[in-house]
Amino acid sequence: MSIGLLGRKVGMTQLFDESGVAVSVTIIAVGPCPVVQRRTISTNGYEAVQVGYQAERKAKKVTKPLKGYFDKAKVAPQKYLREFRLESTEGSNYSVGQILTVGLFDLGEKVRVTGITKGKGFQGGVKRWGYRGGPATHGSMFHRAPGSIGASSFPSRVFRGHHMPGRMGTDTMTVKGLKVVKVIPEQNLLLVRGAVPGPAGGLVTISKRG
């Protein structure tokens, strides 16, 4: 339970550590993220802050209730909103209208990153679940088909959750324990060791609870 920010995955590259070993890192453009709302134990029953990201919404695309919501916080309309639960003692550290930047993260800190994986469309069982497939030669006519999915007499049905062809990707995934390798406040960039879910340009959530 800790504060976090929103950003976009830029891509991957590599850096050399102190011993000269090449390290794969993901570049994330983080924030700046204004605090849009605070939730308190006395009012809402829990402690949290709501932050926004990307103040690039056109005025005509913001509904009147939503415009009033942002005007009350004295914050420009944001494209994305996310809420982060906090410990009871953390809430007083943040106030509505406060701008949170990539400087929130420290070098060497462990973070967790949540994103939406790349969409791969409708896929068969071999690619989606790793089916071995049938013989490749001798006219078997059975190469990548799913094959039998259940017995006929008993139980006369297909068990729930059976692996079948279907939509693959576009799932929300969280990677924990990614180490912050470099912070570039001037460009709002955060470099973390390892891979981050989603395509380049995809929206990600970076949380301090590694």
Side-chain angles (χ1 to χ4, degrees), residues 70 96 103:
F70 287 115
V96 175

Side-chain angles (χ1 to χ4, degrees), residues 52-65:
Y53 178 61
Q54 283 196 344
E56 300 174 357
R57 302 187 66 177
K58 295 181 180 179
K60 65 180 181 180
K61 290 189 176 182
V62 180
T63 62
K64 286 185 178 180

Side-chain angles (χ1 to χ4, degrees), residues 98-180:
Q98 180 181 353
I99 304 297
L100 304 179
T101 66
V102 71
L104 193 70
F105 301 100
D106 301 318
L107 193 64
E109 181 180 8
K110 296 288 184 69
V111 297
R112 64 172 59 182
V113 180
T114 301
I116 297 177
T117 58
K118 294 179 181 180
K120 301 184 183 298
F122 190 97
Q123 298 297 333
V126 172
K127 180 171 182 177
R128 192 181 187 204
W129 301 112
Y131 286 179
R132 188 171 66 89
T137 58
H138 297 290
S140 69
M141 302 297 288
F142 178 73
H143 305 302
R144 299 173 70 92
S148 174
I149 61 173
S152 58
S153 60
F154 178 82
S156 299
R157 62 186 176 87
V158 179
F159 286 114
R160 185 188 300 273
H162 187 79
H163 289 178
M164 295 286 287
R167 180 195 59 79
M168 183 178 177
T170 59
D171 297 314
T172 300
M173 180 176 289
T174 299
V175 180
K176 302 178 182 179
L178 295 179
K179 184 179 179 181
V180 175

